[in-house]
Amino acid sequence: MLRRFFSYYQPYKGLFLLDFSCAILAAMLELGFPVAVNMVVDKLLPSKDWPLILWACFGLLIMYILNAAMNYVVTYWGHMLGINIETDMRKKLYDHIQKLSFRFFDNTKTGHLLSRLTNDLMEIGEVAHHGPEDLFIAIMTLVGAFFLMFSINEEMAIMTFLVIPIMIWLVIHFNRKMTTAFHRMYGDMADFNARVEDNVGGMRVVQAFANEAFENGRFAENNLRFRLTKLLSYKIMAQNSSVSYMMMRLVTLFVLICGSWFVLQNQLTYGEFVAFLLLTNVFFRPMEKINAIIESYPKGIAGFRRYIEIMETEPDITDAPDAIAVEKLRGDIQYKGVSFSYDQESSILRNIDLNIRAGETIAFVGPSGAGKTTLCSLLPRFYEIDGGSITIDGIDIRKIKLSSLRSQIGIVQQDVFLFSGSIRENIIYGNQTATEEEIWEAARRAKLDEFIRAQQDGMETIIGERGVKLSGGQKQRLAIARMFLKNPTILILDEATSALDTETEAAIQQSLAELSKGRTTLVIAHRLATIKTADRIMVVTEEGITEQGSHEQLLDQEGVYSRLYQAQFGTYLEQSRTAFTS
C-alpha cells in the first residue's frame, strides 16, 4: 500500500526534492543555533570584544532569515506538493467512478462517494506533504541533537535519550488506536453526508408528508453517532498529546537538575549548559513532529484505504481488447437467448429472442417488474447480460467500444434528469460541439423555442437543481431537445410521458413522433393509448415475451394485451356507450 501511495509522487519529483531539501536545511540550521549561542556565551563574552559579538549576532540574524525562507518554501511549496497529489488522486478516482456500471451505483450511496472525493482525499493530501518529510527530519534532528549533546556531556546525553524507546512505544500504541478510530469516523461521516444528501434531495416529499420531525430524528441519530466517533478520536489524540507533553517536560526538568549539578561540579560551563537546554528544545521538535504524524498519518491511511477500495472495484463493463468504434449504425437489433439477473440468484430475463428491424418502432408493455426497462437497459450495456448475445447490425455490442455504442443510442425517461445550469447547458449536453443554429433548431423541433424566447434571459435562463423551476412538460421537452441534438440512430423512450397530464402528453407525443422518424425506436409504456401506432407491440411478462403484433392483432388474440387494454379503457368505453344510448 505504501509503494502504491508513493507512486503518486512520481510526477512531482522536482517539487518533492525542493521541499525535502529546504526542510533538511531548516532542520540543520535549527541544530546550529544552540552551538552558536554556546560560542557567544563561552568564547565571545569573556573576550569582551563588542564588535565581534555584534558581527556574530549579525551572522545569527542571517541564519534566522535563511531559516525563515526555508520554512516559507516548506510551508507553501510543500503544501503545493500535497495539493497536487490530492488533485491527481481525486481526478483518478472520479475518472474511475465514471467507468463503473449501474450495478455499482445501485448499491452505493451518493453521500459515501462524495465523502471519499472530498474529506478522505484532503487528509491524504496533508499526509502526502508532511508524512515522509516530517518523519525523515524527526529522525535526522534526533540523531543530530544526540551527537551535539553527546559532544557537550556524554552522561546527560545518554540519560536524556533513554526516553526514546518509550516514545516509540507510544507512537505505535496510539497510531493503532487512532487508525481504527479515524476509519470509523470516515464511515460515520459518509453516512452523515448520505443522510443530508438524501434529505435535501427529497425535501419536497418530506414537507408534503409533514415528516420534518421524523427526518430530524434520523438526522439527530447520524449526527450523534458522528459526534461520538469524533470525540473518541480526539480523546485518543488528547491522551497522546498529554502523555507526550508530560514526558517532554520531565526531560526538561531532568536536564535542569542534572545540568545544574554538573555546573556546580565544574564539569559543565555556563555556555554548554545553555546550549544543552536549547538542544533539549530542539530535541522536542522531532517529538512534536512525531505527534503530528501520529495524528495525521491514521487519517491519511484511513482515507487512502477507502480510496483504494473504490479504485480496486473493477468495472464489470469494459471495452473488449478487440472492440471497434462505429461511426453510424443502421439500427437492426437482435436479442439471442438473452438472460439476465441483478443479484445472480433470481433471473429477470430468461432466453429472450427478439428481432427489430432498422427504423421500426417497437413498444414493450406488461406488468411492472416483468423486465421491460431491464430489456432496454441491456442494449447500451448499462448492465452486462448473463447469457446469450445482443447484436446491432450483426455486431455483438460487446465488440463495440462503449463510447461508440452509447453515442448511437438516445434515452428519454419519465424521470428526466436536468443539470442545475442554464437551458443552453442542458440542451447542448446532447452535443458539446453544436452551433447556435443547431441548438435553436433542436429547441424548435422539441416545441420549446417559444417558451425559451418568452424568458427574460432566453437560453441563459437558470432552471434550478434538477430543473425544479420547470413544469413536467417543459422538462420533457428539454430532454427531447437534448436528444434531437444528439441525433442517435436508436431511441429508447422509457415511460416518457406517463407523468404528464393528457393535454401535455398529447403535445409531447407530437415531439416524440418527430424525434422517432427514421430511427429504431423502443418504447416502454403503461398508457396503451400512446403506442397504438407502433409497428409492433411486445407483451413482456415474467415468462418472457409472450405476445407480439400490432395493436389490432393483439386485441384479436384476447390475451394479456387485450386484458390490459380492457382494464384501462373498458370502464371508459362502457360509460361512453351508456351515455350515447341515453
Side-chain angles (χ1 to χ4, degrees), residues 6-72:
F6 283 116
S7 68
Y8 287 94
Y9 286 84
Q10 191 66 25
Y12 307 106
K13 287 187 289 187
L15 195 56
F16 175 74
L17 288 172
L18 173 66
D19 172 48
F20 209 69
S21 302
C22 287
I24 291 171
L25 286 172
M28 291 173 67
L29 287 173
E30 281 288 332
L31 288 171
F33 295 143
V35 177
V37 171
N38 181 17
M39 291 178 63
V40 169
V41 173
D42 277 352
K43 294 183 179 179
L44 297 183
L45 279 179
S47 72
K48 298 181 180 180
D49 189 340
W50 178 244
L52 187 60
I53 292 172
L54 284 177
W55 276 109
C57 290
F58 180 74
L60 203 56
L61 175 63
I62 298 299
M63 290 176 65
Y64 284 137
I65 292 171
L66 281 173
N67 205 24
M70 297 297 154
N71 282 320
Y72 175 84

Side-chain angles (χ1 to χ4, degrees), residues 1-10 301 304 308:
M1 187 174 67
L2 286 174
R3 185 168 61 250
R4 188 166 180 176
F5 179 76
F6 283 116
S7 68
Y8 287 94
Y9 286 84
Q10 191 66 25
I301 290 302
F304 191 67
I308 291 294

Side-chain angles (χ1 to χ4, degrees), residues 229-245:
T229 307
K230 286 198 78 172
L231 283 176
L232 174 63
S233 304
Y234 285 111
K235 182 180 180 181
I236 298 169
M237 286 172 61
Q239 289 172 350
N240 171 57
S241 178
S242 299
V243 172
S244 299
Y245 173 83

